Coordinates of all heavy atoms in Angstrom, one line a residue:
M10 N 10.9 -3.0 -5.8 CA 11.4 -2.3 -4.6 C 12.0 -3.4 -3.7 O 11.7 -3.5 -2.5 CB 10.3 -1.6 -3.8 CG 9.8 -0.4 -4.5 SD 11.0 1.0 -4.4 CE 9.9 2.3 -5.2
G11 N 12.9 -4.3 -4.2 CA 13.6 -5.3 -3.4 C 15.1 -5.1 -3.4 O 15.6 -4.6 -4.3
G12 N 15.7 -5.7 -2.4 CA 17.1 -5.6 -2.3 C 17.7 -4.4 -1.6 O 18.9 -4.4 -1.3
M13 N 17.0 -3.4 -1.5 CA 17.5 -2.1 -0.9 C 17.0 -2.1 0.6 O 17.2 -1.0 1.2 CB 17.0 -0.9 -1.6 CG 17.5 -0.8 -3.0 SD 19.3 -0.5 -3.1 CE 19.3 1.2 -2.6
T14 N 16.3 -3.1 1.1 CA 15.7 -2.9 2.4 C 16.7 -3.0 3.5 O 16.5 -2.5 4.6 CB 14.7 -4.1 2.6 OG1 15.3 -5.3 2.3 CG2 13.5 -3.8 1.7
D15 N 17.9 -3.6 3.2 CA 18.9 -3.8 4.3 C 19.4 -2.4 4.8 O 19.4 -2.2 6.0 CB 20.1 -4.6 3.7 CG 19.7 -6.1 3.6 OD1 18.7 -6.4 4.2 OD2 20.6 -6.9 3.1
A16 N 19.7 -1.5 3.9 CA 20.2 -0.2 4.3 C 19.1 0.5 5.1 O 19.4 1.2 6.1 CB 20.6 0.6 3.1
T17 N 17.9 0.4 4.6 CA 16.8 1.1 5.3 C 16.6 0.5 6.8 O 16.5 1.3 7.7 CB 15.5 0.9 4.6 OG1 15.7 1.3 3.2 CG2 14.4 1.7 5.2
D18 N 16.7 -0.8 6.9 CA 16.6 -1.4 8.2 C 17.7 -1.0 9.1 O 17.4 -0.8 10.3 CB 16.5 -2.9 8.0 CG 15.2 -3.4 7.5 OD1 14.3 -2.6 7.4 OD2 15.1 -4.6 7.1
A19 N 18.9 -0.8 8.5 CA 20.0 -0.5 9.4 C 19.8 0.8 10.1 O 20.1 1.0 11.2 CB 21.2 -0.5 8.5
T20 N 19.3 1.8 9.3 CA 19.1 3.2 9.8 C 17.9 3.2 10.8 O 17.8 3.8 11.8 CB 18.9 4.2 8.7 OG1 17.8 3.7 7.9 CG2 20.1 4.4 8.0
R21 N 16.9 2.3 10.4 CA 15.7 2.3 11.3 C 15.9 1.7 12.6 O 15.4 2.1 13.6 CB 14.6 1.5 10.5 CG 13.8 2.4 9.5 CD 12.5 1.6 9.1 NE 11.6 2.6 8.5 CZ 10.3 2.3 8.4 NH1 9.8 1.1 8.8 NH2 9.5 3.1 7.9
T22 N 16.8 0.7 12.7 CA 17.0 -0.1 13.9 C 18.2 0.5 14.6 O 18.6 -0.1 15.6 CB 17.2 -1.5 13.6 OG1 18.3 -1.7 12.7 CG2 16.0 -2.1 13.0
E23 N 18.8 1.6 14.2 CA 19.9 2.1 14.9 C 19.6 2.5 16.3 O 18.6 3.1 16.5 CB 20.5 3.4 14.2 CG 21.7 3.9 14.8 CD 22.3 5.1 14.0 OE1 21.7 5.4 13.0 OE2 23.4 5.6 14.3
A24 N 20.5 2.2 17.2 CA 20.2 2.4 18.7 C 20.1 3.8 18.9 O 20.9 4.6 18.4 CB 21.3 1.7 19.5
R25 N 19.1 4.2 19.7 CA 19.0 5.6 20.1 C 19.7 5.8 21.4 O 19.7 5.0 22.3 CB 17.5 5.9 20.3 CG 16.7 5.7 19.0 CD 17.2 6.7 17.9 NE 16.4 6.5 16.7 CZ 16.6 7.1 15.6 NH1 17.6 8.0 15.5 NH2 15.9 6.9 14.5
A26 N 20.3 7.0 21.6 CA 20.9 7.4 22.8 C 19.8 7.7 23.9 O 18.7 8.2 23.5 CB 21.7 8.6 22.6
D27 N 20.1 7.3 25.1 CA 19.2 7.6 26.2 C 19.2 9.0 26.6 O 20.3 9.7 26.6 CB 19.5 6.7 27.4 CG 19.1 5.3 27.1 OD1 18.3 5.0 26.2 OD2 19.7 4.4 27.8
C28 N 18.1 9.5 27.0 CA 18.0 10.9 27.5 C 18.9 10.9 28.8 O 18.7 10.1 29.6 CB 16.6 11.3 27.8 SG 16.4 12.8 28.7
V29 N 19.7 12.0 28.9 CA 20.6 12.1 30.1 C 19.8 12.5 31.4 O 20.4 12.4 32.4 CB 21.7 13.1 29.8 CG1 22.6 12.6 28.6 CG2 21.1 14.5 29.5
L30 N 18.6 13.0 31.2 CA 17.8 13.4 32.3 C 16.9 12.3 32.8 O 16.8 12.1 34.0 CB 17.1 14.7 32.0 CG 18.0 15.9 31.6 CD1 17.1 17.1 31.3 CD2 18.9 16.2 32.8
C31 N 16.1 11.7 31.9 CA 15.1 10.8 32.4 C 15.3 9.4 31.9 O 14.6 8.5 32.4 CB 13.7 11.3 32.0 SG 13.4 11.1 30.2
G32 N 16.3 9.2 31.0 CA 16.6 7.8 30.6 C 15.7 7.3 29.5 O 15.9 6.2 29.0
E33 N 14.8 8.1 29.0 CA 13.9 7.7 27.9 C 14.7 7.8 26.6 O 15.6 8.6 26.5 CB 12.7 8.7 27.8 CG 11.7 8.5 28.9 CD 11.0 7.1 28.9 OE1 10.6 6.8 27.7 OE2 10.8 6.5 29.9
P34 N 14.4 6.9 25.6 CA 15.1 7.0 24.3 C 14.9 8.3 23.7 O 13.8 8.9 23.7 CB 14.4 5.9 23.5 CG 13.7 5.0 24.5 CD 13.4 5.9 25.7
S35 N 16.0 8.9 23.2 CA 15.9 10.2 22.5 C 15.7 10.0 21.1 O 15.7 8.9 20.6 CB 17.2 11.0 22.8 OG 18.3 10.4 22.1
E36 N 15.7 11.1 20.3 CA 15.5 11.0 18.9 C 16.8 10.9 18.2 O 16.9 10.8 17.0 CB 14.8 12.3 18.4 CG 13.4 12.4 18.8 CD 12.7 13.6 18.3 OE1 13.4 14.6 18.1 OE2 11.5 13.5 18.0
Y37 N 17.9 10.9 19.0 CA 19.3 10.9 18.4 C 19.9 9.6 18.5 O 19.7 8.8 19.4 CB 20.2 12.0 19.2 CG 19.5 13.3 19.3 CD1 18.8 13.7 20.4 CD2 19.6 14.2 18.2 CE1 18.2 15.0 20.5 CE2 19.0 15.4 18.3 CZ 18.3 15.8 19.4 OH 17.7 17.0 19.4
P38 N 20.7 9.2 17.5 CA 21.4 8.0 17.5 C 22.5 8.0 18.6 O 23.0 9.0 19.1 CB 22.1 7.9 16.1 CG 22.2 9.3 15.7 CD 21.0 10.0 16.3
E39 N 22.9 6.7 19.0 CA 23.9 6.6 20.1 C 25.2 7.3 19.7 O 26.0 7.6 20.6 CB 24.1 5.1 20.4 CG 23.2 4.6 21.4 CD 23.6 3.2 21.8 OE1 24.2 2.4 21.0 OE2 23.3 2.8 22.9
S40 N 25.5 7.5 18.4 CA 26.7 8.0 18.0 C 26.8 9.5 18.2 O 27.8 10.1 18.0 CB 27.0 7.7 16.6 OG 25.9 8.1 15.7
T41 N 25.6 10.2 18.7 CA 25.6 11.6 18.8 C 26.5 11.9 20.0 O 26.5 11.3 21.1 CB 24.2 12.0 19.1 OG1 23.3 11.6 18.1 CG2 24.1 13.5 19.3
R42 N 27.3 13.0 19.8 CA 28.2 13.4 20.9 C 27.4 14.4 21.8 O 26.5 15.0 21.4 CB 29.4 14.2 20.3 CG 30.3 13.3 19.5 CD 31.6 14.0 19.2 NE 32.6 13.2 18.5 CZ 33.8 13.6 18.2 NH1 34.2 14.8 18.5 NH2 34.7 12.8 17.7
G43 N 27.9 14.4 23.0 CA 27.4 15.3 24.0 C 26.1 14.7 24.6 O 25.7 13.6 24.4
A44 N 25.4 15.6 25.4 CA 24.2 15.2 26.0 C 23.1 15.1 25.0 O 22.9 15.9 24.1 CB 23.8 16.2 27.1
T45 N 22.3 14.0 25.2 CA 21.1 13.8 24.4 C 19.8 13.9 25.2 O 19.8 13.4 26.3 CB 21.1 12.5 23.7 OG1 21.4 11.5 24.6 CG2 22.2 12.5 22.6
Y46 N 18.8 14.6 24.7 CA 17.6 14.7 25.5 C 16.4 14.1 24.7 O 16.4 14.2 23.4 CB 17.3 16.2 25.7 CG 18.4 16.9 26.6 CD1 19.3 17.7 25.9 CD2 18.4 16.7 27.9 CE1 20.2 18.4 26.6 CE2 19.4 17.3 28.6 CZ 20.3 18.2 28.0 OH 21.3 18.8 28.7
C47 N 15.5 13.5 25.4 CA 14.3 13.1 24.7 C 13.4 14.4 24.4 O 13.8 15.5 24.9 CB 13.5 12.2 25.7 SG 12.8 13.1 27.1
P48 N 12.4 14.3 23.5 CA 11.7 15.5 23.2 C 11.1 16.3 24.3 O 11.1 17.5 24.3 CB 10.5 14.9 22.4 CG 11.1 13.6 21.7 CD 12.1 13.1 22.8
V49 N 10.7 15.6 25.4 CA 10.2 16.3 26.6 C 11.2 17.0 27.3 O 11.1 18.3 27.6 CB 9.5 15.2 27.5 CG1 9.1 15.9 28.8 CG2 8.4 14.5 26.8
C50 N 12.3 16.4 27.6 CA 13.4 17.1 28.3 C 14.1 18.2 27.4 O 14.5 19.2 28.0 CB 14.5 16.1 28.8 SG 13.9 15.0 30.1
E51 N 14.1 18.0 26.1 CA 14.7 19.0 25.2 C 13.9 20.2 25.3 O 14.3 21.4 25.3 CB 14.7 18.4 23.9 CG 15.5 19.3 22.9 CD 15.8 18.5 21.6 OE1 14.8 18.0 21.0 OE2 16.9 18.5 21.1
W52 N 12.5 20.0 25.4 CA 11.6 21.2 25.5 C 11.8 21.9 26.8 O 11.9 23.1 26.9 CB 10.2 20.6 25.3 CG 9.2 21.8 25.4 CD1 8.7 22.6 24.3 CD2 8.4 22.2 26.5 NE1 7.8 23.5 24.8 CE2 7.6 23.3 26.1 CE3 8.4 21.8 27.8 CZ2 6.7 23.9 27.1 CZ3 7.6 22.4 28.8 CH2 6.7 23.4 28.3
Q53 N 11.9 21.1 27.9 CA 12.1 21.7 29.2 C 13.4 22.4 29.3 O 13.4 23.5 29.9 CB 12.0 20.6 30.3 CG 10.6 19.9 30.3 CD 10.6 18.8 31.4 OE1 11.7 18.3 31.8 NE2 9.4 18.4 31.7
E54 N 14.5 21.9 28.7 CA 15.7 22.6 28.7 C 15.6 23.9 28.0 O 16.2 25.0 28.4 CB 16.8 21.7 28.1 CG 17.3 20.6 29.0 CD 18.0 21.2 30.2 OE1 19.0 21.9 30.1 OE2 17.5 21.0 31.4
A55 N 14.9 24.0 26.8 CA 14.7 25.1 26.1 C 14.0 26.2 26.9 O 14.3 27.4 26.9 CB 14.0 24.8 24.8
Q56 N 13.0 25.8 27.6 CA 12.2 26.7 28.4 C 13.1 27.3 29.5 O 13.0 28.4 29.9 CB 11.0 25.9 29.1 CG 10.0 25.5 28.0 CD 9.4 26.6 27.2 OE1 8.9 27.5 27.8 NE2 9.5 26.5 25.9
R57 N 13.9 26.4 30.1 CA 14.7 26.8 31.2 C 15.7 27.9 30.7 O 16.0 28.9 31.4 CB 15.5 25.6 31.8 CG 16.1 25.8 33.1 CD 16.7 24.6 33.7 NE 15.7 23.5 33.8 CZ 16.0 22.2 34.0 NH1 17.2 21.9 34.3 NH2 15.0 21.3 34.1
Q58 N 16.3 27.7 29.6 CA 17.3 28.6 29.1 C 16.6 29.9 28.7 O 17.1 31.0 28.9 CB 18.0 28.1 27.9 CG 18.9 26.9 28.2 CD 19.5 26.2 27.0 OE1 19.4 26.7 25.9 NE2 20.1 25.0 27.2
A59 N 15.3 29.8 28.3 CA 14.6 31.0 27.8 C 14.2 31.9 29.1 O 14.1 33.1 29.0 CB 13.4 30.6 27.1
C60 N 14.1 31.2 30.2 CA 13.6 31.9 31.4 C 14.8 32.2 32.4 O 14.6 32.7 33.4 CB 12.6 31.0 32.1 SG 11.1 30.8 31.2
S61 N 16.0 31.8 32.0 CA 17.1 32.1 32.9 C 17.3 33.6 33.1 O 17.2 34.4 32.2 CB 18.4 31.4 32.3 OG 18.8 32.1 31.1
G62 N 17.6 33.8 34.4 CA 17.9 35.2 34.8 C 16.7 35.8 35.3 O 16.1 36.1 36.1
Ligands
ZN128 ZN1 14.2 13.0 29.0

């Protein structure tokens, strides 16, 4: 299992986009388009949309 670690490290160390609400690292890579949310804010946004109206 040697020689293939470079590719794995590249994906593991890929920079994460910051949450647009609280600034915490999100689960999404920086290359993600649009707004990115951390797990907490993503959940809160889902709740907000579910309760809208
Ligand atoms: Zn957040």
Side-chain angles (χ1 to χ4, degrees):
M10 290 288 187
M13 297 290 288
T14 53
D15 284 352
T17 306
D18 287 347
T20 50
R21 277 194 160 199
T22 58
E23 184 173 1
R25 300 297 181 183
D27 289 339
C28 172
V29 297
L30 294 182
C31 71
E33 290 290 317
S35 72
E36 295 182 322
Y37 307 99
E39 270 189 332
S40 56
T41 302
R42 288 189 178 188
T45 49
Y46 300 102
C47 67
V49 174
C50 292
E51 193 169 48
W52 180 85
Q53 291 178 348
E54 283 296 299
Q56 295 299 305
R57 195 174 303 172
Q58 289 174 12
C60 296
S61 64

